[in-house]
Amino acid sequence: MKVAKEYKGLVTKKFNEFFRVELNLKENFDSNKKFLCKIRKSVNFKNQLVFVGDEVIISQIDLKSKRATIESLVQRKNLLERPSVANISNIYVIFSVAEPKLNLSQVNRFLISAEQLGVEVSLVLTKCDLIAEQKRLFLIDKFQKWGYQVITLNLNNPNNFKNLMIELKKKKCSIFMGPSGVGKTTLLNMIIPGLDNTTAAVSSKIKRGKNTTRNVELFSLSSKSYIVDTPGFNMQTLEIDIRELPNLYPEIYKQVVTFGINCKFRNCQHINDQGCKLNKNFERYIFYKEMIESFKSHYYLNQGD
Ligand SMILES: Nc1nc2c(ncn2[C@@H]2O[C@H](COP(=O)(O)OP(=O)(O)O)[C@@H](O)[C@H]2O)c(=O)[nH]1
Ligand SMILES: [Mg+2]
Ligand SMILES: [Zn+2]
């Protein structure tokens, strides 16, 4: 039984030349929402150019065999690399407040890396059961001043987790990003019951192979909300155009966009005081300045040869 119409669907999994495409419609054929698809041969884009998270137009929907054909790719909003996922709406940068110890410079680099995608970035602090309440409040305040929404989690207090779930269900497509050991897998297992990814403490050797070879996949949290299940998403390579760096710090771009500060030079790097209007009285300025200076020394070195 084939359906004549074309529908827009979401690629939630990719295996070689096959794609799992989910439809999200009122007339979604009830349980027949997921289809195994191949790209139409005559179409001028290749398998490698369609990623999990992409929206595609499918046709030749066969309700019985649950097969369909991908006709075209809808223009994507963004594309993350390693893992390749299209159309992310939210990045949650995850760090533990202890074990491993919080490293501010590392948090800074992850946040900058996340900002490069140009989507909403939030910070999640795990393992708050390991610190005093006062310290937790101190950290929330610190990172709010960095310009971020901060969500704190404590495995012993399920209420915190409930709030995160409510938030995730409002977002289109979220991904967790953070160094290893901070609790990303633990969190995903709580969010997607039955997923049973291997956490570090349990696994190490036995199941590591299985964990690292798993393909990236989207899991549905509500009718319009997905989370990326990825075993090994750390940090994008920091290949930043130096001129872009001010746009990756909320403390800076808010001054420019919201308050309209107007430095003397249009491409002001906010390093020298000459004609610079940026209020540099914020904690991360030192990280910013270091990064600009390291870019510069790199640039001059290359110019020298
Ligand atoms: N005390 C405490 N331990 C946690 C919490 N979340 C995760 N862990 C532990 O941290 C370790 C690493 O977690 P895992 O999810 O594998 O981290 P990942 O490397 O980021 O995926 C495991 O032993 C977890 O049980 C938490 O909120 N509190
Ligand atoms: Mg993990
Ligand atoms: Zn300036």
Side-chain angles (χ1 to χ4, degrees):
M1 186 181 28
K2 293 216 175 179
V3 179
K5 265 172 92 172
E6 292 194 336
Y7 286 97
K8 186 155 85 174
L10 178 69
V11 177
T12 55
K13 199 168 180 175
K14 179 176 176 174
F15 358 52
N16 303 322
E17 74 272 39
F18 288 102
F19 300 86
R20 186 180 70 201
V21 176
E22 294 189 23
L23 296 185
N24 190 345
L25 303 159
K26 284 195 198 89
E27 38 177 333
N28 61 10
F29 322 121
D30 301 322
S31 60
N32 285 307
K33 285 204 327 193
K34 299 177 186 177
F35 296 89
L36 191 64
C37 300
K38 266 187 154 182
I39 297 175
R40 178 182 292 288
K41 280 211 183 71
S42 60
V43 167
N44 66 351
F45 56 87
K46 304 217 170 68
N47 289 333
Q48 306 90 280
L49 297 179
V50 177
F51 299 102
V52 166
D54 266 325
E55 289 187 308
V56 290
I57 305 296
I58 62 170
S59 72
Q60 299 212 299
I61 297 166
D62 188 328
L63 296 180
K64 202 158 173 227
S65 68
K66 294 192 171 182
R67 297 288 194 110
T69 303
I70 295 177
E71 297 288 344
S72 61
L73 176 65
V74 178
Q75 169 97 47
R76 68 173 68 103
K77 295 189 184 82
N78 56 52
L79 181 65
L80 196 73
E81 290 166 43
R82 279 181 290 133
S84 297
V85 190
N87 299 320
I88 296 281
S89 67
N90 288 75
I91 297 179
Y92 290 85
V93 172
I94 319 257
F95 269 86
S96 59
V97 294
E99 299 179 18
K101 198 171 157 236
L102 198 61
N103 174 328
L104 294 184
S105 160
Q106 196 186 25
V107 178
N108 173 56
R109 286 189 298 121
F110 269 82
L111 289 172
I112 290 172
S113 174
E115 289 283 350
Q116 281 186 280
L117 200 64
V119 302
E120 199 183 337
V121 177
S122 308
L123 185 63
V124 177
L125 298 177
T126 61
K127 311 196 189 185
C128 287
D129 46 296
L130 301 177
I131 54 168
E133 175 66 4
Q134 215 176 357
K135 178 77 188 289
R136 187 183 72 92
L137 297 175
F138 167 81
L139 291 172
I140 290 176
D141 181 59
K142 175 194 285 293
F143 294 120
Q144 279 176 348
K145 285 182 179 142
W146 286 23
Y148 292 93
Q149 177 199 206
V150 187
I151 297 163
T152 59
L153 296 176
N154 169 346
L155 275 192
N156 306 324
N157 183 350
N159 278 334
N160 297 337
F161 174 71
K162 274 186 208 148
N163 293 337
L164 175 63
M165 271 312 274
I166 291 168
E167 154 129 4
L168 291 174
K169 283 180 180 174
K170 288 182 195 155
K171 310 296 183 183
K172 223 172 157 195
C173 186
S174 306
I175 190 168
F176 291 162
M177 171 184 183
S180 61
V182 300
K184 298 184 297 298
T185 304
T186 307
L187 205 48
L188 266 180
N189 286 342
M190 288 165 75
I191 291 167
I192 312 165
L195 182 66
D196 200 23
N197 269 331
T198 325
T199 55
V202 198
S203 77
S204 47
K205 279 185 192 137
I206 326 161
K207 289 180 179 169
R208 184 182 289 160
K210 182 190 156 201
N211 207 12
T212 46
T213 52
R214 280 238 338 276
N215 283 332
V216 56
E217 189 171 347
L218 294 190
F219 280 94
S220 165
L221 297 177
S222 70
S223 65
K224 284 202 167 152
S225 170
Y226 289 84
I227 187 153
V228 183
D229 170 29
T230 166
F233 180 40
N234 273 333
M235 188 162 64
Q236 307 287 287
T237 42
L238 275 183
E239 279 175 20
I240 299 162
D241 180 343
I242 189 173
R243 287 164 300 184
E244 281 300 311
L245 201 59
N247 301 329
L248 306 179
Y249 280 86
E251 304 96 314
I252 300 178
Y253 67 67
K254 278 183 188 158
Q255 288 194 46
V256 177
V257 177
T258 316
F259 307 121
I261 61 150
N262 208 348
C263 302
K264 186 173 168 194
F265 300 106
R266 200 158 55 87
N267 291 326
C268 183
Q269 283 169 346
H270 314 303
I271 293 296
N272 302 317
D273 280 334
Q274 213 191 15
C276 180
K277 302 273 173 61
L278 186 83
N279 177 356
K280 301 175 178 68
N281 185 19
F282 58 92
E283 187 179 16
R284 281 205 297 174
Y285 184 70
I286 185 155
F287 290 142
Y288 170 80
K289 197 174 164 192
E290 269 171 21
M291 209 170 269
I292 292 274
E293 277 161 3
S294 78
F295 273 120
K296 277 193 173 157
S297 59
H298 188 71
Y299 176 76
Y300 289 128
L301 281 176
N302 288 342
Q303 291 288 299
D305 17 51

